[in-house]
Amino acid sequence: MKRRAFITLLGSAAAAWPLAARAQQTMPVIGYLNLGGSPESDAVRLTGLRRGLNQTGYVEGRNLLIEYRWAGNQVGRLSALVSDLVQLQVSAILAVGVPSALAAKAATTSIPIVFSVGADPVRFGLVASLNRPGGNLTGFNAYSNEFGAKGLALLHELVPSAATIGFLKNPNNPISELMTRDALAAAPVAGVNVQILKASTDREIDAAFVSLVQARTGALFVSGDFLFNSRIEQIVALAARYAIPTMYALPEFVVAGGLISYGTSLTEDWRQIGLYTGRILKGEKPADLPVIQATKIQLIINLKTAKALGLQIPDRLLALADEVIE
């Protein structure tokens, strides 16, 4: 083979070599796996992630690459997407929600996996224990399923005229049944009925609000879910359009114009995940990093939204609030 032809062939082969595989020769590459979401809807989560990574010395595009994979709310696509990340030999996989974490765990026992879930990861078989995870997984547990009962009670206190409160859940979320059970158990204590609404797509989210209006349901509780958390603007806009007092699991909803929230901060949750990922990239093992437990649970109220809905916030709730947006 002539020298010029050989150089041309070599250049073509290099161009065909996957970006992640080539980049890994000079900088680490991590994978980001989410059942739902998109670059736009995951902006809040990714802001927190990049902040945590930066604090450990990693800056995307400078000394770190991220391979993003979104499954379009199709659980069946997760396996192929995570297999692709494994083939790229990424240095770590960041999994959003239980389905993504389970898919990643099934695909590899060697690549570190850092997850973000809203329920006990031991119960779902992701880790052996919270303090000593074992294996190649660790991450953050927001315990969002356990906030449902408290959130329902706070919402009823805010809207005491609501005889029925809607409960929006994603049936594709493995913890949705746990959240539903907690909501139904809390309803008699709060003195309300619960209307269960299911949504796993944008269209179904729209339809859920129409159902609320048709049933004359007085208020809505949006459960903590990886899909809903990626549709903040859509859900807040629907609540405003139909004038439905709505409780959320994340403060980011209230910052975007929602009425009230009780839960952890998505940005802060993912900053913690970024910190753990940076530590793993520097050589620490997931098995030695305890699962981070949510500790800062915040009650956030938006007075401007309350005024638009014609609601008077009880003094007790104002006193309890960690933040009041005016």
Side-chain angles (χ1 to χ4, degrees):
M1 181 181 295
K2 294 183 178 180
R3 181 175 181 273
R4 180 177 299 173
F6 174 77
I7 292 174
T8 300
L9 177 62
L10 185 61
S12 299
W17 198 12
L19 172 63
R22 283 183 282 136
Q24 204 161 15
Q25 303 304 307
T26 55
M27 69 177 71
V29 182
I30 60 176
Y32 175 90
L33 181 67
N34 191 357
L35 174 59
S38 67
E40 296 74 25
S41 63
D42 276 7
V44 173
R45 182 181 285 114
L46 295 175
T47 294
L49 170 63
R50 291 169 182 140
R51 188 174 299 166
L53 287 168
N54 293 354
Q55 290 175 339
T56 60
Y58 290 99
V59 179
E60 184 180 9
R62 182 184 302 171
N63 60 353
L64 173 76
L65 289 181
I66 304 178
E67 287 282 336
Y68 298 97
R69 298 293 185 273
W70 285 277
N73 298 315
Q74 300 179 43
V75 177
R77 293 188 59 200
L78 286 173
S79 179
L81 292 176
V82 74
S83 293
D84 183 39
L85 293 175
V86 171
Q87 290 178 0
L88 290 176
Q89 298 181 1
V90 295
S91 299
I93 296 173
L94 312 186
V96 184
V98 174
S100 296
L102 289 173
K105 182 180 182 181
T108 178
T109 58
S110 57
I111 297 176
I113 298 166
V114 186
F115 56 73
S116 171
V117 297
D120 185 358
V122 176
R123 180 170 186 168
F124 288 93
L126 293 174
V127 295
S129 73
L130 298 177
N131 290 331
R132 299 192 63 82
N136 60 320
L137 286 84
T138 189
F140 187 93
N141 179 16
Y143 278 116
S144 60
N145 68 301
E146 297 186 5
F147 304 152
K150 179 67 173 178
L152 196 68
L154 290 170
L155 181 57
H156 184 245
E157 185 173 352
L158 176 59
V159 193
S161 61
T164 300
I165 293 178
F167 184 82
L168 183 64
K169 71 170 188 175
N170 178 1
N172 288 339
N173 189 331
I175 70 172
S176 67
E177 290 308 315
L178 294 176
M179 292 187 287
T180 302
R181 181 198 64 196
D182 291 344
L184 291 175
V189 179
V192 297
N193 296 315
V194 172
Q195 177 188 357
I196 302 299
L197 301 156
K198 300 178 181 180
S200 57
T201 66
D202 291 348
R203 181 175 298 180
E204 290 176 351
I205 292 174
D206 291 339
F209 276 85
V210 173
S211 297
L212 285 172
V213 174
Q214 291 175 340
R216 299 182 181 275
T217 302
L220 173 66
F221 184 97
V222 177
S223 65
D225 175 76
F226 48 85
L227 171 64
F228 303 153
N229 296 346
S230 298
R231 300 295 189 273
I232 293 175
E233 298 293 339
Q234 176 191 0
I235 294 174
V236 168
L238 286 167
R241 181 192 308 172
Y242 295 111
I244 298 174
T246 304
M247 163 73 77
Y248 305 96
L250 297 176
E252 283 80 6
F253 282 90
V254 183
V255 172
L259 175 61
I260 184 171
S261 68
Y262 182 71
T264 62
S265 165
L266 187 64
T267 306
E268 176 59 22
D269 294 353
W270 276 82
R271 185 187 71 85
Q272 299 276 3
I273 291 172
L275 290 173
Y276 255 20
T277 303
R279 291 172 62 178
I280 288 170
L281 291 176
K282 291 181 177 180
E284 294 191 57
K285 304 298 183 184
D288 300 326
L289 296 174
V291 174
I292 304 169
Q293 307 296 298
T295 56
K296 190 176 182 180
I297 315 303
Q298 297 178 304
L299 175 63
I300 314 293
I301 300 172
N302 190 315
L303 288 183
K304 182 178 179 180
T305 302
K307 183 178 180 179
L309 293 169
L311 293 174
Q312 180 67 40
I313 307 296
D315 291 340
R316 195 187 85 88
L317 288 187
L318 289 174
L320 286 175
D322 296 278
E323 182 180 352
V324 176
I325 298 175
E326 303 187 51

